[in-house]
Amino acid sequence: MPDNTAYQCPNCTGPLHFNAKVGKLTCDYCLSEFDTEEIKQLYAGKNADAAAAEHAENEWGDDAGRMSAYTCSTCGAELICEKETAATKCPYCNNPTVIPGQFKGTDKPDYCIPFRHEKKDAVSALSRYYKGKMLLPKSFISGNHINEIQGVYIPFWLFSGTSEGSGVYDAIRESRHRSGDNEIITEKHYEVTREGKMSFDKIPVDASIKMDDALMDSIEPYNYADLKPFEMEYLPGFLANKYDVSKNDSIPRAKDRANNSLADELRKSVTGFDKVHTKSHAENFTGSDIEYGLFPVWLLNTKWNGKDFMFAMNGQTGKMIGNLPISTGKFIAWIIGVFLPSMIILNLIFDSLFASFLVAAVITVIVAIVLYNSMKPVAIARSAASYVAGPGLEVTSKSEHYTHTTERVIHHNKKK
C-alpha cells in the first residue's frame, strides 16, 4: 500500500498543482481547473490509505536518522526526503506528492493560508527590492544570480492568550523662563503607574529548525482573513514540512512578543507630560490556546562574489525581505557627505566649533544607522502588535503622584 499520494488530473492524469492566482488545482498539461473540495473528495480514500500505510525507515551515511525514502506512487521512483517533509515533487515524473502520514492525529495542522503569489511574482519582487538601496554595490544587481526558488509551506505554532502587567514611570512637566543671560528650566516630577492587559490572537512562531527565525519574523504580518481549515489539497506543487520545534520550546518567543507589546502600550498611555522615563515594568502572558498552521513562503537563494544570500517573500502578502551587501565606498561617501555640510551649517548657527562638531556627529550617526538598517532589515520580532485581539489595551488601574521639582540653568552667551 503506497504511503504517499501523487495528485493527478482526473481528465488526463497530468500533474496537478495549486494555482495561487485562481485558488484552484490546475493541471500542468491540459490546464483543467478543479476546486480543492472536488479533489479532496476524489483523493480521500487514497490519502486515508497512505496515512495508514506502514513506512519503512531508511538511513544513509552522515544523514542517518534525518532522511526517509518513499516510493513514488506514480512512477515507482525513489523519493529521498528529510524526515519532516510533508509535501514534495517526484524528480522523475514531476508529480506533486503529499505524505499524509505526516498529518496524522495531533500532527494535523489546524490552519493553512494558501499561496496568493506565484514564482514569477517572487522574481519580480526581488528585482524591486533592490531599488532605492543607497549602499548597494553596483555590481550586485547584474552579478547576483538566483540559484534556487522554492515555494514552501512553513510550520508555525499560533499562540493566543492575554498579557497582564504594570509599569512605573518618572513623568516630567517642563516650564522655561529667562533671567538675564540664563534660561531656567523647571521640571516637576511625577511618579506615574499603569496597570493593564491585552489579548492576542494567533501570534505566529516559526516551528522549523531549518528556517531562520529572524527571516520568518521579518516577512510578517500575515492576514488572517485568508486563514482556512487545513486541507492537503492546498499543498500540491509546493514543498511542505511538519514542525520539528515543539510548542513548549516556542512558548518563550510568543511570551516575549506579547509582553513587549503590552509594555509599549502601557508606556504610550502615559500622556500629558513633556518627558516620560520608564523606571520599571513587569508583564505576564497566559496562553489560552496553541494551534498549528502552515503558512506560505517563497525562498530565493542567490549567489554573488562567492557568497550566498537568502531572501524570503510572504506568499500571501508579497512582502519581500533579506539582508543586502554594503558598498564600503558608498557608505564612507555618505558619511562625509552628511558630516561636512552639517558642520558648516551648524557652525553658522551655534558659532561654536565644538557644538557644531557634536551635533553634526549625532546627525551623521543617525543617518548611518538608518542607511545600515535599510540594508540589513532582517531581525527577530519583539512585538506582536499585528495580532492584538479586541479593542487593544485595557487600562485597569492608573495613578499620578507629584514627587519633587528640579531646576536646570543654561547660560547663553550674547553674540557681540
Side-chain angles (χ1 to χ4, degrees), residues 182-390:
N182 296 327
E183 181 182 14
I184 301 173
I185 303 173
T186 302
E187 295 180 334
K188 291 187 175 182
H189 294 252
Y190 297 80
E191 184 175 88
V192 177
T193 63
R194 291 287 188 272
E195 295 180 5
K197 60 183 179 179
M198 289 174 64
S199 294
F200 299 87
D201 183 37
K202 298 179 179 65
I203 302 171
V205 176
D206 165 30
S208 172
I209 291 176
K210 294 178 286 296
M211 291 297 108
D212 180 355
D213 291 339
L215 193 64
M216 293 299 98
D217 287 355
S218 298
I219 59 172
E220 292 183 24
Y222 287 92
N223 181 0
Y224 287 160
D226 289 338
L227 200 66
K228 299 182 182 298
F230 172 76
E231 299 292 352
M232 282 182 284
E233 285 63 39
Y234 293 118
L235 305 184
F238 301 101
L239 302 181
N241 296 321
K242 64 174 289 187
Y243 68 88
D244 54 7
V245 178
S246 72
K247 63 180 68 175
N248 288 335
D249 288 341
S250 302
I251 288 174
R253 291 191 62 216
K255 282 188 172 182
D256 285 345
R257 294 182 66 176
N259 290 337
N260 287 337
S261 297
L262 175 62
D264 290 343
E265 291 305 311
L266 286 173
R267 164 61 183 81
K268 291 176 184 177
S269 72
V270 181
T271 58
F273 297 92
D274 298 298
K275 298 176 182 177
V276 179
H277 306 288
T278 301
K279 295 174 66 177
S280 65
H281 63 90
E283 298 80 33
N284 181 51
F285 178 76
T286 304
S288 61
D289 201 3
I290 305 175
E291 297 170 295
Y292 175 30
L294 296 182
F295 291 174
V297 178
W298 282 104
L299 297 175
L300 300 91
N301 293 286
T302 72
K303 185 177 286 290
W304 175 74
N305 278 2
K307 296 181 180 179
D308 294 320
F309 294 84
M310 170 71 81
F311 299 90
M313 188 182 87
N314 186 313
Q316 179 201 30
T317 67
K319 181 181 179 180
M320 175 69 71
I321 205 74
N323 289 331
L324 294 165
I326 293 176
S327 166
T328 303
K330 287 186 177 182
F331 192 58
I332 293 173
W334 266 95
I335 290 175
I336 295 173
V338 171
F339 180 75
L340 291 181
S342 299
M343 273 286 293
I344 295 171
I345 296 171
L346 290 168
N347 196 45
L348 296 175
I349 297 173
F350 293 122
D351 195 25
S352 167
L353 188 60
F354 177 75
S356 301
F357 176 86
L358 189 62
V359 176
V362 170
I363 293 173
T364 303
V365 169
I366 292 173
V367 171
I369 291 173
V370 170
L371 287 172
Y372 181 87
N373 288 341
S374 71
M375 303 297 290
K376 309 290 184 182
V378 176
I380 290 289
R382 67 170 303 277
S383 170
S386 299
Y387 307 100
V388 174

Side-chain angles (χ1 to χ4, degrees), residues 86-233:
T88 184
K89 183 182 290 187
C90 177
Y92 298 97
C93 68
N94 206 40
N95 267 354
T97 301
V98 175
I99 305 168
Q102 299 284 38
F103 302 127
K104 289 193 294 186
T106 57
D107 286 340
K108 181 180 179 180
D110 300 290
Y111 301 105
C112 177
I113 294 179
F115 274 85
R116 280 184 169 269
H117 290 276
E118 299 176 319
K119 180 186 290 187
K120 64 180 180 180
D121 299 330
V123 175
S124 298
L126 184 61
S127 297
R128 294 193 301 271
Y129 186 67
Y130 298 155
K131 295 181 179 178
K133 299 299 190 293
M134 303 297 186
L135 303 181
L136 192 67
K138 287 184 178 180
S139 62
F140 183 79
I141 296 177
S142 59
N144 184 42
H145 301 293
I146 297 176
N147 287 340
E148 187 178 24
I149 304 177
Q150 293 181 328
V152 185
Y153 280 102
I154 305 296
F156 285 86
W157 293 116
L158 310 175
F159 293 85
S160 300
T162 299
S163 183
E164 299 186 63
S166 62
V168 180
Y169 312 91
D170 178 24
I172 301 170
R173 291 195 177 102
E174 188 177 88
S175 61
R176 299 169 180 251
H177 68 276
R178 295 293 293 262
S179 178
D181 292 345
N182 296 327
E183 181 182 14
I184 301 173
I185 303 173
T186 302
E187 295 180 334
K188 291 187 175 182
H189 294 252
Y190 297 80
E191 184 175 88
V192 177
T193 63
R194 291 287 188 272
E195 295 180 5
K197 60 183 179 179
M198 289 174 64
S199 294
F200 299 87
D201 183 37
K202 298 179 179 65
I203 302 171
V205 176
D206 165 30
S208 172
I209 291 176
K210 294 178 286 296
M211 291 297 108
D212 180 355
D213 291 339
L215 193 64
M216 293 299 98
D217 287 355
S218 298
I219 59 172
E220 292 183 24
Y222 287 92
N223 181 0
Y224 287 160
D226 289 338
L227 200 66
K228 299 182 182 298
F230 172 76
E231 299 292 352
M232 282 182 284
E233 285 63 39

